[in-house]
Amino acid sequence: MDAKSPHIKNRDTPQWGLYQRNMFWKYNEGELPPFNTHPDVLERLASRKLSQNGYLYASSNAGLSHTHLANRQAFFRHKLVSRQLVDTNERSTRTKLFDNGKWEVSAPFGIAPVGINKIYHDRGELAVAKAAGELGLVYSLSTAGSYPIEEVGAAHDEGRANRFEEAKKNVGDGNEEKVPEAPRFFQLYMPHDDELTLSLLKRAHEAGFEACLLTTDTAQLGWRHDDVATSNYAFYRGIGGELGFTDPVFQKRMAEQGVDPQKDPVRAATMWIDTIWHGRAWSWEKAVWAREKWQEIAGKDKPFLIKGIQSVKDAKKAADLGFEGVVVSNHAGRQVDGAVGSLDALESIVKAVGERKGFTVMFDSGVRGAADVMKALALGAKFVFIGRLWIWGLAIMGEEGVRHVLRSLLADFDILMNVMGVRSVEEIDGSLLESGPRVYGLLNEKSKL
């Protein structure tokens, strides 16, 4: 933790691991770190801050939570094998996204798209986008977001503009100007209204979102016992429809139905969510149409990925049809109960399409720390999305809570690379893993983590 190491100036990012040193030093200044970032402590602290319904919406899973459990079990069968006496002093956590290296980011992980952040904190998506921008991390906005697309883009820009100052304040190693300007992605839940779909894509492009993720696993919510039992659906309470209310096409649709969101927010928010989580299936042909329209609006160089892929057959089809990639995800176990662990699906999908030129395999579901990120990368993912960790941070302490969780994850990953003997993200491969066979027996004690 030598803050004066001569190697720091040769690194291409701040020495993120110094955040650990700064947290240790706080006691000498009469302070302590904001909160413990161990996942189970995060969840416990967040549960004390949130309403019952807020907590249940964030923590509930499909059915008996067996897919959620399988996601964690899949990580347990892979063990990291460290290398010794490797000069990691000038290691790099930086990552280039997509085959053309179009964007560089601080680390190979970033913000997963999560809806209605306003139920966790008043500033919702604005707080998360700003923190991600400050740290040079990818931010992804959900169509089910609770702030307008334009305001979220502006918050991310504010964070990006402040990234050097933030690094100087919280790392302070002289490398603050090496924080990259990370892109932001827009996650699309595609309405059964082509004009509205095009309006959402146009707004996302004009607000600076540079890639589109089409989520295909959530035409409607999976059966989540806790949410059903408590009548827990924020949109049906009039909460979270602002992204839709500010859309010109949806404003026209509301006017046609005589709905005024100011006077009847419940009816308006219900109309909005029933438009995007509509319960009607899509086809591959419509997904191809959405990609074509996105690239007509944003440009041929703006990637369009399918999020929610679990089968090799689907991954191959996405590659064959020209999509720029897939996000291997089972929606964190919130959609299909009794499904394969997402990390197990990743392993199979990478073997099938991981070497396809111009095709990027990303990963989501079940990640709880830097070791999980490294395991997913070692199995062939090029990028990893993080969800529940920063949700808990947002609930605990708003923007500063998200920032603390993300800084801690950056420090964890930086330190892990150091103690694993890894000098760059490109060096992370299967040789770092010792893996057991796939086992789908349930653990005796079910974890919510």
Side-chain angles (χ1 to χ4, degrees), residues 195-206:
E195 187 182 3
L196 178 55
T197 296
L198 295 177
S199 180
L200 291 170
L201 294 178
K202 183 172 183 288
R203 290 174 67 198
H205 167 61
E206 291 178 351

Side-chain angles (χ1 to χ4, degrees), residues 241-355:
E242 286 79 1
L243 192 149
F245 299 165
T246 51
D247 189 276
V249 173
F250 191 70
Q251 288 172 348
K252 183 169 65 173
R253 299 290 182 264
M254 288 191 291
E256 291 167 353
Q257 297 295 319
V259 176
D260 184 339
Q262 299 301 317
K263 295 179 179 179
D264 195 349
V266 171
R267 188 178 173 198
T270 298
M271 182 177 171
W272 167 243
I273 199 61
D274 286 352
T275 299
I276 62 170
W277 287 340
H278 38 65
R280 287 178 278 175
W282 282 121
S283 65
W284 281 101
E285 289 76 18
K286 197 65 179 184
V288 169
W289 173 86
R291 174 178 176 266
E292 290 173 350
K293 294 304 179 184
W294 165 250
Q295 294 187 340
E296 284 176 13
I297 291 166
K300 293 291 187 183
D301 62 334
K302 300 298 172 64
F304 189 100
L305 291 79
I306 302 291
K307 180 178 181 290
I309 297 298
Q310 292 284 276
S311 81
V312 169
K313 183 177 180 181
D314 285 346
K316 286 181 176 178
K317 184 145 191 170
D320 291 344
L321 289 172
F323 291 94
E324 282 69 33
V326 294
V327 181
V328 178
S329 169
N330 57 31
H331 221 92
R334 291 162 66 81
Q335 285 302 100
V336 177
D337 195 26
V340 63
S342 196
L343 195 74
D344 290 338
L346 171 72
E347 189 173 12
S348 299
I349 287 168
V350 166
K351 288 177 182 177
V353 298
E355 299 301 318

Side-chain angles (χ1 to χ4, degrees), residues 162-239:
N162 192 46
R163 67 190 190 279
F164 301 151
E165 186 62 31
E166 199 283 336
K168 183 177 182 180
K169 175 183 175 183
N170 290 290
V171 181
D173 63 355
N175 272 7
E176 54 267 11
E177 294 193 7
K178 295 181 181 179
V179 180
E181 185 174 279
R184 50 182 175 266
F185 298 167
F186 180 68
Q187 175 270 329
L188 176 66
Y189 288 120
M190 186 159 48
H192 269 276
D193 181 332
D194 289 352
E195 187 182 3
L196 178 55
T197 296
L198 295 177
S199 180
L200 291 170
L201 294 178
K202 183 172 183 288
R203 290 174 67 198
H205 167 61
E206 291 178 351
F209 290 82
E210 299 184 274
C212 185
L213 313 174
L214 174 64
T215 294
T216 56
D217 61 9
T218 314
Q220 69 183 83
L221 298 188
W223 186 265
R224 304 171 190 173
H225 291 289
D226 290 338
D227 286 334
V228 173
T230 55
S231 191
N232 187 23
Y233 202 36
F235 294 101
Y236 283 12
R237 307 285 86 77
I239 301 167

Side-chain angles (χ1 to χ4, degrees), residues 22-229:
N22 295 343
M23 293 301 100
F24 285 150
W25 190 258
K26 275 187 173 293
Y27 182 83
N28 297 329
E29 298 171 343
E31 301 178 16
L32 287 174
F35 51 81
N36 189 326
T37 55
H38 190 289
D40 60 356
V41 179
L42 278 178
E43 183 175 7
R44 187 165 65 248
L45 292 174
S47 70
R48 297 171 185 168
K49 290 277 190 177
L50 294 169
S51 66
Q52 179 194 49
N53 283 2
Y55 173 69
L56 288 178
Y57 187 77
S59 62
S60 63
N61 304 300
L64 302 181
S65 292
H66 288 174
T67 302
H68 180 265
L69 181 59
N71 283 341
R72 294 303 301 143
Q73 285 182 309
F75 282 99
F76 300 157
R77 75 182 182 89
H78 299 284
K79 305 301 180 185
L80 294 169
V81 181
S82 63
R83 298 166 177 165
Q84 303 306 310
L85 298 175
V86 178
D87 184 354
T88 57
N89 290 308
E90 296 175 9
R91 63 194 174 277
S92 173
T93 64
R94 273 196 184 229
T95 307
K96 292 183 178 181
L97 298 180
F98 302 103
D99 277 2
N100 59 8
K102 184 174 178 58
W103 299 294
E104 284 194 77
V105 293
S106 291
F109 57 82
I111 302 294
V114 175
I116 42 175
N117 290 183
K118 196 176 281 188
I119 66 175
Y120 309 121
H121 189 273
D122 287 346
R123 278 184 48 78
E125 289 82 2
L126 304 183
V128 185
K130 184 182 175 188
E134 287 176 349
L135 294 168
L137 297 174
V138 169
Y139 173 77
S140 304
L141 172 64
S142 169
T143 304
S146 48
Y147 274 92
I149 296 171
E150 297 77 10
E151 291 185 25
V152 179
H156 191 239
D157 280 339
E158 181 183 356
R160 294 199 296 195
N162 192 46
R163 67 190 190 279
F164 301 151
E165 186 62 31
E166 199 283 336
K168 183 177 182 180
K169 175 183 175 183
N170 290 290
V171 181
D173 63 355
N175 272 7
E176 54 267 11
E177 294 193 7
K178 295 181 181 179
V179 180
E181 185 174 279
R184 50 182 175 266
F185 298 167
F186 180 68
Q187 175 270 329
L188 176 66
Y189 288 120
M190 186 159 48
H192 269 276
D193 181 332
D194 289 352
E195 187 182 3
L196 178 55
T197 296
L198 295 177
S199 180
L200 291 170
L201 294 178
K202 183 172 183 288
R203 290 174 67 198
H205 167 61
E206 291 178 351
F209 290 82
E210 299 184 274
C212 185
L213 313 174
L214 174 64
T215 294
T216 56
D217 61 9
T218 314
Q220 69 183 83
L221 298 188
W223 186 265
R224 304 171 190 173
H225 291 289
D226 290 338
D227 286 334
V228 173

